[in-house]
Amino acid sequence: MLSAGFKESGSEGLKREKALVEVCRKHGMRLVGPNCLGLISSYTPMNASFAPVTPHKGNIAFLSQSGALITSVLDWSIREGVGFSHVVSLGNCADLNETDFIEALSLDPRTKVIAAYIEGVGEGKRFIKVAEESSKRKPILTIKSGISEAGAKAVSSHTGSLAGSKMAYKAVFGRTGIIQAESIEELFDLARAFSTQPTPKGRNLAVVTNAGGPGIIATDACSKHGLNLAWLSPKTINLLRESLPEESSWVNPIDVLGDAPPDRYRVAMDIALKDEGVNSLLVICSPQAVTKPKEIAEEVVKAKERVKEKPVVCSFMGGEAVSGAVRLLSEAGVPNYPFPERAVRALSRLSKYGEEKLKVKRGFVASYKVDKGGVREVLERAKRENRVNLLVVEAFQILAAYGLKIARSILAQSKAQAVEAARRIGYPVAMKVVSPQIMHKTDVGGVKLNLNSDEEVEEAFDQEFATPPPTCPRLG
Amino acid sequence: MLSAGFKESGSEGLKREKALVEVCRKHGMRLVGPNCLGLISSYTPMNASFAPVTPHKGNIAFLSQSGALITSVLDWSIREGVGFSHVVSLGNCADLNETDFIEALSLDPRTKVIAAYIEGVGEGKRFIKVAEESSKRKPILTIKSGISEAGAKAVSSHTGSLAGSKMAYKAVFGRTGIIQAESIEELFDLARAFSTQPTPKGRNLAVVTNAGGPGIIATDACSKHGLNLAWLSPKTINLLRESLPEESSWVNPIDVLGDAPPDRYRVAMDIALKDEGVNSLLVICSPQAVTKPKEIAEEVVKAKERVKEKPVVCSFMGGEAVSGAVRLLSEAGVPNYPFPERAVRALSRLSKYGEEKLKVKRGFVASYKVDKGGVREVLERAKRENRVNLLVVEAFQILAAYGLKIARSILAQSKAQAVEAARRIGYPVAMKVVSPQIMHKTDVGGVKLNLNSDEEVEEAFDQEFATPPPTCPRLG
């Protein structure tokens, strides 16, 4: 259902949305949307959307609670040569929601990675359960928007859903194995690496570059994102020394020099990939005077085919001069990033994903039993009495309703009640004045500590509580 | 001097480099490089480089200690429509270095922003002085590479310079007003905003968008990067309500809806830019079914011309569908970013730059007088004696050479000397055994505290120090 004018537009729209779902249920139909762009399935093929372009076939599934983001991403993906298995615009999620699609896509053999733009999650508990199971099958990458206060407000007027707290989502994502990206750009940087590359066996990266500066930039990025620049074995270094020109750098980053022909790249890549201490490879190419980017890209693709179990990513840097190479890499399933930093960041997340998978046993998400009725009662009474502050006893009731252990406390409204309460609690006791007019009890002598007998309680009541200070019109 | 084979290649090369500089000096010539790509001046015009492309004219000056980075950036800039005033490949900086060029470019009327890729700085003190003066004239943006330990090592084999500590550079950049980018991508994201847009008067951003999701993404980015989503005035909101369709969002982000024609964008932008509480504007456009990106871009350019004093940046998101619009924006000096997060980040840095400039009085960079000769003497003696640890007295000498106040301490090698030393220091004194073989003095009873007289010093010397424990072959 593509049309807008439902939950996102207010209470009238919500009524319409409920009626719509009822009609669907009655006739055994499932519903995507409303207020969405529709859905695309590349392999059926089916384009049940009003997106102006149809994406290339690929193995990334993309779910989005923003239809416009889909049109942008599809248009971008055509140029970048990125392909999708399914694209789903979720809209208001009146019936089918993000959880349903994550579950279905985790079982879809065409889909290698699920990438999701999420503003809010509907069925929290079910989402956690499904996400935990699904992310064992394949990586789920998300960008959660509405994480700032202002962003959350904007979400509620967009799809009418609650954005929820940043911390809560972070905890849920962390524990269910969902990988959170920091930006749309990172979401797809990761999706491309995760959908095309094997998981590396460790964090040790080799860099082959035809330029010193970008090699250093990659080195810094390793340190920033928690990858190691691999220590090459003496055998590898010797092989490189024998095979490369004298001025090359044989330590990592391996600098094949600015005049490097495709052959020299091939030799360096093959030697680096054979080193057991190297878990993944980044190939950097800057278009210098005699560089042949497209032929170098062909060598990258071949090297990648020879060593299938190690991830290879590229940073062919530039514009027109590298565009042919970038297209070739894309089509062959080797992600290219315009700058080395983004390549390193993607590989780093892929390495960490591998480590997390090895750990297997994930934490569980705790749920707490809360006496919601009890809390509501206290708050409604305060509301009825037009109070903006809760009495101490009321605050304690709320804490207790949330399962927190608190000191026992009884409200006494006479001297006799006070003695009785003190006996029930057991000596020693503390006495505090309770009044909605008094916020700072000690200022008015309204706190007595360490009372050890009936007499002391009676005395305290007489002396302090029976003669209210001027600011204290009523004693509790 | 383009040729390599100088300082970066070892001691023989260094000799050659020195000889080269001498020749230049003798004949009154200044030298760029060696080991560089050369330089380009767009307005002369002069291309004294072996870069395969000549950049568009523009007002960004780009200095780089990596020539290959220049070839990549130039190639990229052609496609993105970004223009340069000067491009300088610094190479080994045998004669002219980064400081010389920063000074010259800060006085060049064609240059509005200096963007620099820096691996290391040569003349530290002069750099600080020049940078402080130059950054008062125009923004200096840098990416400092080699900030990780591994990166610093790679720098030394690249241009033969020392990368220096990350903290030291951060402090120098901060105090001289240099703006540090985190990545190459950010360096040019900032350069484009700083070179085309006025400095905003505050941090309040208005967002006009044809899509809810990207609006929320921009909102989150504001919170992350320290911009405010501007509170629109009641007048503005009323005007928007009167001018836009009912389903639009009149609060910020202003959502002109997915079917927004160029006219509707124009109305929304004009109203937002007139609000005094709005300091800058981000225009987001996603290519939906009926969107006309190029015509919308034309309206952005016109709106920008009507309100010159407020920065306007764009995020037209997508590929082919927005490429015409992006080119048009670029040529008109309105930077476009492929995703809203990067647009917000650039505007945020521009706002902070404005605030820093208002503060005017910058901190000064302290310099310390160090007795380097004294330090060298101590270290050389330890080296001669093949010691890996310093004696306590030696460590104290070094601390004193750095100007740190330390307790007075005299080395005594006999009982008489100990008494004399104690008298010179003044009672009470402490006595500690000094021996290169003893690291943990208290373990062998080698520390006596609070000695108040000649007698106590003599006693301590006899009892403890005259009978060396087995691990203590020599007493100092």
Side-chain angles (χ1 to χ4, degrees), chain B residues 123-183:
Chain B
E123 313 161 283
K125 278 188 192 165
R126 194 177 145 240
F127 177 83
I128 288 169
K129 195 167 156 283
V130 168
E132 197 164 12
E133 284 162 12
S134 303
S135 72
K136 279 177 196 151
R137 291 187 206 112
K138 58 191 67 165
I140 303 173
L141 311 172
T142 59
I143 168 104
K144 166 72 181 76
S145 81
I147 51 173
S148 63
E149 208 183 311
K153 257 179 56 185
V155 161
S156 105
S157 73
H158 182 221
T159 47
S161 63
L162 291 172
S165 105
K166 180 180 173 180
M167 294 302 291
Y169 275 98
K170 204 178 165 183
V172 166
F173 288 168
R175 288 177 173 203
T176 55
I178 288 182
I179 297 147
Q180 204 174 354
E182 295 275 317
S183 65

Side-chain angles (χ1 to χ4, degrees), chain B residues 286-322:
Chain B
S286 81
Q288 301 179 53
V290 297
T291 309
K292 294 178 172 165
K294 209 167 167 186
E295 288 80 354
I296 294 170
E298 280 165 8
E299 291 298 341
V300 173
V301 173
K302 284 187 217 156
K304 167 76 200 147
E305 274 162 17
R306 285 192 289 271
V307 185
K308 283 204 165 56
E309 74 279 9
K310 295 184 182 181
V312 176
V313 301
C314 289
S315 182
F316 281 52
M317 304 166 72
E320 212 32 53
V322 298

Side-chain angles (χ1 to χ4, degrees), chain B residues 290-368:
Chain B
V290 297
T291 309
K292 294 178 172 165
K294 209 167 167 186
E295 288 80 354
I296 294 170
E298 280 165 8
E299 291 298 341
V300 173
V301 173
K302 284 187 217 156
K304 167 76 200 147
E305 274 162 17
R306 285 192 289 271
V307 185
K308 283 204 165 56
E309 74 279 9
K310 295 184 182 181
V312 176
V313 301
C314 289
S315 182
F316 281 52
M317 304 166 72
E320 212 32 53
V322 298
S323 65
V326 169
R327 202 161 31 244
L328 199 149
L329 290 168
S330 242
E331 283 162 9
V334 179
N336 186 74
Y337 301 93
F339 294 101
E341 293 102 328
R342 281 168 59 186
V344 168
R345 182 177 64 181
L347 268 183
S348 164
R349 299 295 294 262
L350 190 57
S351 302
K352 282 176 195 164
Y353 172 71
E355 287 166 18
E356 284 298 318
K357 263 180 79 174
L358 286 178
K359 281 190 209 156
V360 178
K361 261 213 173 275
R362 293 201 183 110
F364 71 104
V365 179
S367 73
Y368 299 94

Side-chain angles (χ1 to χ4, degrees), chain B residues 383-458:
Chain B
K383 228 167 162 181
R384 272 200 310 278
E385 297 179 359
N386 262 329
R387 285 186 278 122
V388 290
N389 296 309
L390 294 180
L391 302 177
V392 171
V393 280
E394 292 174 331
F396 279 178
Q397 276 171 33
I398 289 180
L399 292 177
Y402 274 88
L404 293 176
K405 284 189 183 169
I406 52 161
R408 198 171 167 202
S409 133
I410 300 173
L411 183 65
Q413 292 180 301
S414 71
K415 205 194 307 189
Q417 275 183 17
V419 169
E420 198 202 318
R423 284 182 188 166
R424 275 164 61 190
I425 290 169
Y427 287 109
V429 298
M431 284 174 73
K432 297 182 182 179
V433 70
V434 174
S435 160
Q437 277 75 28
I438 301 173
M439 289 306 295
H440 301 283
K441 301 176 184 65
T442 44
D443 293 357
V444 297
V447 175
K448 292 275 159 192
L449 300 175
N450 216 25
L451 307 173
N452 276 302
S453 64
D454 294 0
E455 289 71 33
E456 283 182 30
V457 167
E458 284 171 354

Side-chain angles (χ1 to χ4, degrees), chain B residues 39-275:
Chain B
L39 75 172
I40 300 172
S41 175
S42 298
Y43 291 94
T44 314
M46 172 185 77
N47 187 342
S49 79
F50 65 94
V53 292
T54 301
H56 297 308
K57 285 180 187 172
N59 52 19
I60 302 171
F62 180 38
L63 300 179
S64 173
Q65 285 177 1
S66 160
L69 193 62
I70 292 181
T71 59
S72 297
V73 165
L74 289 184
D75 190 39
W76 162 87
S77 74
I78 300 290
R79 185 158 77 177
E80 298 286 321
V82 174
F84 292 92
S85 55
H86 300 269
V87 177
V88 182
S89 171
L90 292 160
N92 289 3
C93 298
D95 177 21
L96 291 170
N97 63 18
E98 57 288 341
T99 305
D100 298 304
F101 282 105
I102 285 176
E103 189 165 38
L105 290 167
S106 78
L107 296 163
D108 170 44
R110 303 277 198 187
T111 297
K112 223 176 147 187
V113 166
I114 301 169
Y117 167 79
I118 288 179
E119 294 184 351
V121 162
E123 313 161 283
K125 278 188 192 165
R126 194 177 145 240
F127 177 83
I128 288 169
K129 195 167 156 283
V130 168
E132 197 164 12
E133 284 162 12
S134 303
S135 72
K136 279 177 196 151
R137 291 187 206 112
K138 58 191 67 165
I140 303 173
L141 311 172
T142 59
I143 168 104
K144 166 72 181 76
S145 81
I147 51 173
S148 63
E149 208 183 311
K153 257 179 56 185
V155 161
S156 105
S157 73
H158 182 221
T159 47
S161 63
L162 291 172
S165 105
K166 180 180 173 180
M167 294 302 291
Y169 275 98
K170 204 178 165 183
V172 166
F173 288 168
R175 288 177 173 203
T176 55
I178 288 182
I179 297 147
Q180 204 174 354
E182 295 275 317
S183 65
I184 301 289
E185 192 163 85
E186 189 183 3
L187 181 70
F188 285 97
D189 279 359
L190 300 188
R192 286 154 72 201
F194 278 67
S195 66
T196 57
Q197 301 306 303
T199 309
K201 297 231 159 52
R203 296 196 182 190
N204 303 324
L205 172 73
V207 178
V208 171
T209 178
N210 69 343
I216 296 163
I217 290 166
T219 304
D220 280 344
C222 281
S223 157
K224 180 172 176 184
H225 295 291
L227 277 191
N228 311 322
L229 209 62
W231 287 99
L232 303 179
S233 74
K235 194 180 144 196
T236 302
I237 292 178
N238 274 333
L239 273 171
L240 288 170
R241 186 179 317 203
E242 285 162 18
S243 317
L244 299 179
E246 200 191 337
E247 300 77 19
S248 312
S249 168
W250 308 306
V251 291
N252 199 3
I254 302 162
D255 187 343
V256 294
L257 303 179
D259 65 344
D263 261 10
R264 200 187 294 161
Y265 263 97
R266 177 177 52 71
V267 169
M269 291 187 292
D270 277 351
I271 296 174
L273 281 169
K274 267 183 201 140
D275 190 317

